[in-house]
Amino acid sequence: MKPKIYITRKLPELVVDKLKNAFEVRMWEEEVEPVPREILEKEIQEVEGLYCLLTESIDRNLLTLAPRLKIVSNMAVGYNNIDVAAATEKGIMVTNTPGVLTETTADLTFALLMASARRIVEASDYLRAGSWKTWSPMQLTGQDIYGATLGIFGLGRIGESLAKRARGFDMNILYHNRSRKPRAEEQLGIKYVDKEALLRESDFVCVLTPYTPETENYIGTAELSLMKRNAVLINTARGGIVNEEALYHALKSGQIWGAGLDVFKEEPVRTDHPLLSLPNVVALPHIGSASRNTRLKMALLAAENLIQGLLGETPKNLVN
Ligand code: GLV
């Protein structure tokens, strides 16, 4: 008998077919609605493998309902939605999808930086609203990108790829990370600084750290108050790393100049969230890795991890 798995969202056919070759598959067939918790709680009781997305909270309570579960395969590089400690205690493997989304997410991070600096969304809305009456010297002026200082919090794969893009814009690049990366410093011409120096000196601060208890509210009132008044904060990691209330006040009061956010503490973010009322915020619905090719690669990699795990091999991207 084939092992049973549950997939928490409709996946591309190619990926489902691959999984069906190896497993007895049940799947939540919707694309725009996440699986309701009650259904997940029921489905998980029967299966040996779970294929899930970052939208599902795989917490201790849920894992307790799953006596047969051997592996949770997350179709994301971040896995803060999974209680890895609880999974490990129960002997359940957890896997993620690093590597395949690095360049695509770095592209989006730089796109968000540029859109925020040059007010692209605001300017486009201005035109469509019929407000464009004439060309005017200081109209819709933003911040220069070339030659500016970029500060990167979290120099993992995506951070390094972002630095490569920034070099092409002649940016001066600083980073702060748990450990120093001498090879990257040499190859990319970037400089390690402490947290405070990064905040004080950067024109653009990009948040790319994993979301853990240590990085929760990593950027709050104290950090924002060190930043330059012309500075732009970009977050394409996880919403909870930046304190949203503190960010709102910093943007509203002119303590910092703008922000580009692809992630929010609660997703989907409410449309009446205070941050969305500010013209100096560019907001996106968590699309960092959203290119067709990359999403397909992530979906396939998550399938491969699940197959390896349930066929008795060590999955390529085991995190515990
Ligand atoms: C997306 O945010 C991911 O972690 O892959």
Side-chain angles (χ1 to χ4, degrees):
M1 254 201 9
K2 290 178 178 173
K4 287 185 184 160
I5 67 158
Y6 187 67
I7 307 173
T8 64
R9 193 73 54 86
K10 187 174 162 78
L11 295 177
E13 231 170 82
L14 175 78
V15 184
V16 180
D17 288 347
K18 192 177 166 78
L19 290 164
K20 280 189 173 158
N21 280 336
F23 307 122
E24 198 178 307
V25 175
R26 286 175 59 82
M27 176 165 84
W28 176 248
E29 299 277 351
E30 299 289 328
E31 215 160 355
V32 292
E33 291 284 335
V35 58
R37 177 75 179 195
E38 320 82 78
I39 294 186
L40 183 56
E41 284 178 357
K42 188 162 159 288
E43 295 286 353
I44 204 164
Q45 298 180 19
E46 306 298 326
V47 297
E48 281 150 78
L50 181 71
Y51 186 118
C52 64
L53 311 185
L54 54 83
T55 42
E56 279 80 58
S57 171
I58 312 300
D59 50 36
R60 187 176 284 275
N61 287 343
L62 188 77
L63 294 172
T64 305
L65 301 173
R68 301 188 172 83
L69 193 64
K70 296 200 179 75
I71 178 164
V72 176
S73 174
N74 209 32
M75 189 195 135
V77 65
Y79 47 86
N80 55 289
N81 56 313
I82 303 172
D83 187 334
V84 178
T88 308
E89 270 172 41
K90 294 176 189 301
I92 299 169
M93 294 176 271
V94 176
T95 62
N96 68 342
T97 60
V100 292
L101 48 64
T102 301
E103 302 298 339
T104 301
T105 308
D107 281 350
L108 191 276
T109 306
F110 208 77
L112 195 47
L113 182 156
M114 295 188 80
S116 306
R118 297 300 303 272
R119 304 169 65 177
I120 303 277
V121 177
E122 191 188 347
S124 176
D125 289 348
Y126 178 87
L127 177 154
R128 284 170 189 272
S131 308
W132 186 22
K133 306 290 183 220
T134 182
W135 188 96
S136 191
M138 297 311 282
Q139 183 182 59
L140 289 165
T141 48
Q143 303 292 339
D144 273 325
I145 299 158
Y146 79 94
T149 296
L150 169 67
I152 303 174
F153 278 122
L155 197 80
R157 298 178 187 82
I158 300 169
E160 286 197 25
S161 290
L162 181 68
K164 285 186 200 148
R165 284 152 182 74
R167 272 176 63 118
F169 282 74
D170 287 336
M171 296 181 93
N172 170 36
I173 307 164
L174 310 175
Y175 80 99
H176 183 72
N177 198 52
R178 267 178 314 181
S179 56
R180 273 187 77 159
K181 303 260 184 100
R183 181 197 51 82
E185 287 177 27
E186 197 178 318
Q187 284 177 355
L188 299 168
I190 61 181
K191 187 175 155 206
Y192 176 87
V193 289
D194 65 26
K195 184 179 179 183
E196 286 70 27
L198 189 144
L199 291 162
R200 271 188 228 284
E201 292 170 30
S202 300
D203 301 302
F204 296 92
V205 173
C206 286
V207 175
L208 286 169
T209 57
Y211 182 33
T212 63
E214 292 76 52
T215 61
E216 172 138 35
N217 290 323
Y218 185 73
I219 307 287
T221 305
E223 287 75 19
L224 291 159
S225 71
L226 295 176
M227 287 172 65
K228 295 182 179 178
R229 291 185 88 80
N230 70 308
V232 177
L233 180 79
I234 305 294
N235 187 3
T236 52
R238 286 293 182 269
I241 302 170
V242 175
N243 183 310
E244 290 178 348
E245 209 187 319
L247 179 61
Y248 171 79
H249 290 297
L251 287 161
K252 179 94 184 153
S253 67
Q255 173 68 51
I256 70 168
W257 189 80
L261 307 171
D262 185 41
V263 288
F264 296 85
K265 183 149 172 82
E266 269 180 38
E267 296 181 359
V269 66
R270 297 186 334 258
T271 49
D272 64 352
H273 191 294
L275 280 169
L276 301 192
S277 70
L278 300 175
N280 51 346
V281 171
V282 178
L284 297 175
H286 203 147
I287 58 166
S289 62
S291 76
R292 286 166 185 249
N293 280 339
T294 291
R295 285 286 169 84
L296 199 55
K297 284 186 198 160
M298 290 165 68
L300 282 169
L301 185 55
E304 280 158 23
N305 282 322
L306 193 59
I307 292 168
Q308 286 165 350
L310 287 184
L311 297 189
E313 294 165 35
T314 303
K316 185 166 163 222
N317 306 113
L318 187 64
V319 303
N320 62 344

